[in-house]
Amino acid sequence: MSITLFDLVGTNSKIKFGPFCWRTRMSLLHKGLDFTSEPWRFLEKDTIADSGHTTVPVINDAGQWVGDSWNIAKYLDEKYPEKPTLMNGAEGEAHALLVQELCASLVFPAVIPIAAYPVSKILDEENQAYFIKTREAAFGKKLSEINVDQDTGKANLEKALSPFNNMLKSKQFIGGDAPSYADYVLFGVLKWADVVSSYRPINDSSAVGEWFVRLDNMYGSHGANAPTVRTGQL
Amino acid sequence: MSITLFDLVGTNSKIKFGPFCWRTRMSLLHKGLDFTSEPWRFLEKDTIADSGHTTVPVINDAGQWVGDSWNIAKYLDEKYPEKPTLMNGAEGEAHALLVQELCASLVFPAVIPIAAYPVSKILDEENQAYFIKTREAAFGKKLSEINVDQDTGKANLEKALSPFNNMLKSKQFIGGDAPSYADYVLFGVLKWADVVSSYRPINDSSAVGEWFVRLDNMYGSHGANAPTVRTGQL
């Protein structure tokens, strides 16, 4: 029985853009588990009510609900120990946790000005109103005021990514020789920006850009083949 | 035969303050290797000339010279695989490397304004002149201009440490359940500030402060018992 991933989308149900959903999507691929992506929109709280969560990612694994990307990764490792590990023991968990904190303090603040406003443009009227209202309340600013031009967005993101960029000059993955959950934590945030932005926000010739493409090309080029605002519905 | 660690000091040879030396010191303690600390001052380049290095830490392990704290940690793991590992495989190495990059980009910029000027006050005349000249050239400013007051220093450091502080709320060590080289990388930078500053730069009641004390109390309270500018020669 396959796992259902409730997966954030806008008007076009093929364009999956949730940063936390991408963390879970890559985790499921990493573990080689069958899953179905169920398009989900901000206001569809009823669909996932039984999970006890009001936002996605949420998974349903043969009747078992699990929500929150971090908890889902831990659940998958515990439930499927025979599959490739996402967080290898306490050190792997601490490693992924540090990357998650760095995303919160360094990377999200550089990605939000690139990605938040474009998200508002790909939602239907009701979801758009909800998204704008909740995000403007959280940020204390109009989305259009948070939004930055392409040059500023790319420069700020490159600066925020510099510790990762430096380490990726000598390692293939944040997890070392192979990706671990630490990799997917950062990848999810960047994939969000890449999917919704009208331009490529990452510098492809940087170490972090090469790492992004490396992950995008894994698992049957799952990430590389995913529809974006720029490609439309592939 | 024991290892000799060439260890940065000033006028008082008991006060060991080198941030990179502390990384190596903790690495040697972690591996449970016998070592002798050989006081070394900036201008004593001749003493370590055979190593091919001009700065410390440098170790001499039964005739084998190794310099640079990162290389020393890798050497110790390779040479003494039967002793507790510092960097557990490629993932542990990638983890420590990320922490090293974060120290370079986030933590050192907050520690230098606390620690650089006090260092100049604990050196003899010739080493002081050398230190001031080289550091002012590197920073492009007078050391007295870089120096900040206690409140500013502590506040800037707390802010820089916030990703570590957040993760250490749920983990005992950066390495997870036990310290790894990733822990010593950050500890060394903070120990430098703690040893040379006239005040305690870290907030002891924060998660990172509690972690610092935890490491200070390991290995026979080696760190906690180390003489500082505040305690003088114990």
Side-chain angles (χ1 to χ4, degrees):
Chain A
M1 196 164 178
S2 112
I3 295 169
T4 303
L5 164 63
F6 291 82
D7 218 349
L8 189 63
V9 298
T11 311
N12 181 340
S13 65
K14 301 276 185 207
I15 299 179
K16 318 275 167 82
F17 63 81
F20 304 101
C21 291
W22 270 101
R23 288 178 179 176
T24 297
R25 168 182 295 284
M26 295 300 279
S27 299
L28 289 162
L29 291 163
H30 176 100
K31 292 201 81 81
L33 294 165
D34 271 345
F35 70 98
T36 315
S37 166
E38 180 69 28
W40 183 93
R41 294 170 184 87
F42 291 107
L43 291 172
E44 293 167 4
K45 311 276 185 202
D46 288 350
T47 328
I48 56 169
D50 287 347
S51 72
H53 291 267
T54 57
T55 55
V56 292
V58 159
I59 63 166
N60 186 303
D61 183 8
Q64 170 78 49
W65 289 99
V66 192
D68 178 277
S69 53
W70 180 266
N71 289 341
I72 293 171
K74 298 253 296 169
Y75 165 84
L76 294 175
D77 268 351
E78 278 158 30
K79 177 86 176 186
Y80 303 100
E82 76 284 4
K83 300 282 190 177
T85 184
L86 284 162
M87 297 192 241
N88 195 11
E91 174 154 20
E93 202 179 310
H95 189 181
L97 198 54
L98 177 61
V99 174
Q100 192 166 270
E101 290 301 336
L102 293 170
C103 285
S105 62
L106 287 179
V107 188
F108 268 113
V111 164
I112 287 168
I114 295 172
Y117 186 67
V119 167
S120 73
K121 298 296 174 194
I122 58 171
L123 306 176
D124 63 58
E125 205 172 320
E126 286 190 352
N127 279 285
Q128 185 182 57
Y130 169 84
F131 180 78
I132 292 174
K133 190 180 164 193
T134 52
R135 271 45 178 187
E136 291 190 346
F139 303 142
K141 270 189 180 177
K142 293 257 172 216
L143 288 188
S144 56
E145 289 167 1
I146 288 166
N147 195 50
V148 292
D149 64 62
Q150 176 168 342
D151 287 350
T152 307
K154 290 179 75 162
N156 288 348
L157 182 58
E158 188 150 14
K159 194 175 166 208
L161 292 172
S162 111
F164 292 105
N165 195 63
N166 287 339
M167 73 139 296
L168 287 166
K169 285 175 188 164
S170 54
K171 293 282 160 204
Q172 289 283 294
F173 296 99
I174 300 174
D177 294 338
S180 71
Y181 190 63
D183 288 85
Y184 308 136
V185 168
L186 177 61
F187 181 81
V189 188
L190 300 180
K191 192 70 185 172
W192 171 37
D194 190 52
V195 165
V196 301
S197 171
S198 60
Y199 57 89
R200 178 81 160 175
I202 307 162
N203 174 358
D204 277 324
S205 66
S206 67
V208 84
E210 288 172 4
W211 160 87
F212 184 84
V213 170
R214 210 173 289 136
L215 283 173
D216 237 2
N217 288 338
M218 289 182 80
Y219 314 124
S221 298
H222 186 99
N225 290 336
T228 72
V229 164
R230 297 193 296 288
T231 60
Q233 183 174 325
L234 289 177
Chain B
M1 195 164 179
S2 112
I3 295 169
T4 302
L5 165 62
F6 291 83
D7 217 349
L8 189 63
V9 299
T11 311
N12 181 339
S13 65
K14 301 276 186 208
I15 299 179
K16 319 275 167 78
F17 63 82
F20 304 101
C21 292
W22 271 101
R23 288 178 179 176
T24 297
R25 169 182 294 282
M26 296 299 279
S27 298
L28 290 162
L29 291 163
H30 177 100
K31 291 202 80 82
L33 295 164
D34 272 345
F35 70 98
T36 315
S37 166
E38 180 70 27
W40 182 92
R41 293 169 184 87
F42 291 108
L43 291 172
E44 293 168 5
K45 312 275 185 203
D46 288 352
T47 327
I48 56 170
D50 288 347
S51 73
H53 291 267
T54 57
T55 55
V56 292
V58 158
I59 63 167
N60 186 302
D61 184 7
Q64 170 78 49
W65 289 100
V66 192
D68 179 276
S69 52
W70 180 266
N71 289 341
I72 294 171
K74 298 252 297 169
Y75 166 84
L76 294 176
D77 268 351
E78 277 158 31
K79 176 87 176 186
Y80 303 101
E82 76 286 3
K83 300 282 191 178
T85 182
L86 284 162
M87 296 191 241
N88 195 10
E91 174 155 20
E93 201 179 310
H95 189 181
L97 197 55
L98 177 61
V99 174
Q100 192 166 271
E101 290 301 335
L102 293 169
C103 284
S105 62
L106 286 178
V107 189
F108 267 114
V111 163
I112 287 168
I114 295 172
Y117 185 66
V119 167
S120 73
K121 297 296 175 193
I122 59 172
L123 306 176
D124 64 58
E125 206 173 320
E126 285 189 353
N127 279 286
Q128 185 182 57
Y130 169 83
F131 180 79
I132 292 174
K133 189 180 164 193
T134 53
R135 270 44 178 188
E136 291 189 345
F139 302 142
K141 271 191 180 178
K142 293 258 172 216
L143 287 188
S144 56
E145 290 167 1
I146 289 167
N147 195 50
V148 291
D149 65 61
Q150 176 168 340
D151 287 350
T152 307
K154 290 179 75 161
N156 287 348
L157 182 58
E158 188 151 12
K159 193 175 166 210
L161 292 172
S162 112
F164 292 105
N165 195 63
N166 286 340
M167 72 139 298
L168 288 166
K169 285 176 189 164
S170 54
K171 292 283 161 204
Q172 290 282 295
F173 296 99
I174 300 173
D177 295 338
S180 71
Y181 190 62
D183 289 85
Y184 307 137
V185 167
L186 177 61
F187 182 82
V189 188
L190 300 180
K191 192 70 185 172
W192 170 36
D194 190 52
V195 165
V196 302
S197 171
S198 60
Y199 57 88
R200 178 79 160 176
I202 307 161
N203 175 0
D204 277 323
S205 66
S206 67
V208 83
E210 288 172 5
W211 160 87
F212 185 84
V213 170
R214 209 173 290 136
L215 284 173
D216 237 2
N217 288 337
M218 289 182 79
Y219 315 123
S221 297
H222 186 99
N225 290 334
T228 71
V229 164
R230 298 193 296 287
T231 60
Q233 184 173 326
L234 289 178

